[in-house]
Amino acid sequence: MRSPWVVGISGASGTPYAAAVLRALFEAGEPVDLIVSRAARLTILDETGRPFRDAHWRDDLTAWLGTTPGDVVHWPAGDLAAGPSSGSYPVRGLVVVPASTAACAGIAIGLSKDLLQRAAEVSLKERRRVVVVPRETPVTRSHLEHLIALHDAGAVVLPASPGFYGAGAGATAQQLVDFVAGKVLDALGVPHTLFRRWTGELNAQKAVQLSDGGL
């Protein structure tokens, strides 16, 4: 039986994070159910110049990712009768990337105003793996309270906060995006090679050893 990961994209800036997660899931051979909120479509258009349309979603997704997607099903955000809206629909878990503060709030209080929020609420109540990737900054007390509520409900709250130890201070934007995407896949338990893992050896130490002929 097909058991996909649900990937929800909300309207926060940061659609490159979503693209990197999707590409990595497809490269790992993982099936995906995709939900793109109405606000996210505007953000994708603004950040990439590319549309995302229900009637042409596969072509638009291919153009956006720059690669042919693997096993993917698209559900319109307004379709509250879609598969992921029910706990009996088999999924492995869900990731919301990027997660706007509005999406976090809606999921935290069970608002279910669209399919993205409903699917996240369903995954939480079914005790499935849920990863939420907030990107907006700074945050207010209410934002923090909603993130705490998500944590207490069993979600992994994974802010889009890239580390620099993999590529150093000269890291490209794509390397920083891939770092966050890799942390998302770690939280999902999906193998990847998106960043260099920490080995206990500082880059500075390596440079000194090279200059001293120690390597």
Side-chain angles (χ1 to χ4, degrees), residues 67-116:
T67 185
T68 301
D71 181 354
V72 57
V73 172
H74 167 255
W75 299 99
D79 185 2
L80 291 176
S85 69
S86 172
S88 66
Y89 182 78
V91 303
R92 294 182 62 186
L94 173 143
V95 55
V96 183
V97 55
S100 66
T101 54
C104 291
I107 298 166
I109 66 176
L111 188 59
S112 292
K113 76 164 191 175
D114 60 12
L115 180 60
L116 189 157

Side-chain angles (χ1 to χ4, degrees), residues 4-167:
W5 295 104
V6 178
V7 176
I9 306 174
S10 75
S13 175
T15 55
Y17 293 117
V21 168
L22 286 168
R23 282 192 292 263
L25 287 172
F26 293 139
E27 289 173 5
E30 299 286 338
V32 169
D33 275 20
L34 179 63
I35 304 169
V36 183
S37 77
R38 293 179 64 183
R41 296 164 194 244
L42 295 175
T43 308
I44 292 171
L45 182 62
D46 182 58
E47 294 185 345
T48 71
R50 300 186 182 279
F52 191 93
R53 302 160 293 179
D54 285 340
H56 306 280
W57 70 267
R58 187 175 291 275
D59 290 339
D60 290 345
L61 181 63
T62 299
W64 176 34
L65 299 183
T67 185
T68 301
D71 181 354
V72 57
V73 172
H74 167 255
W75 299 99
D79 185 2
L80 291 176
S85 69
S86 172
S88 66
Y89 182 78
V91 303
R92 294 182 62 186
L94 173 143
V95 55
V96 183
V97 55
S100 66
T101 54
C104 291
I107 298 166
I109 66 176
L111 188 59
S112 292
K113 76 164 191 175
D114 60 12
L115 180 60
L116 189 157
Q117 292 184 16
R118 172 60 184 169
E121 180 189 5
V122 165
S123 288
L124 287 174
K125 78 179 183 68
E126 298 294 331
R127 299 296 189 265
R128 293 168 180 157
R129 198 168 301 188
V130 173
V131 181
V132 178
V133 186
R135 193 225 50 84
E136 297 184 46
T137 188
V139 294
T140 66
R141 181 183 181 88
S142 65
H143 298 157
L144 294 172
E145 289 172 345
H146 290 139
L147 295 180
I148 291 171
L150 289 171
H151 173 272
D152 290 347
V156 175
V157 178
L158 197 157
S161 178
F164 286 79
Y165 58 80

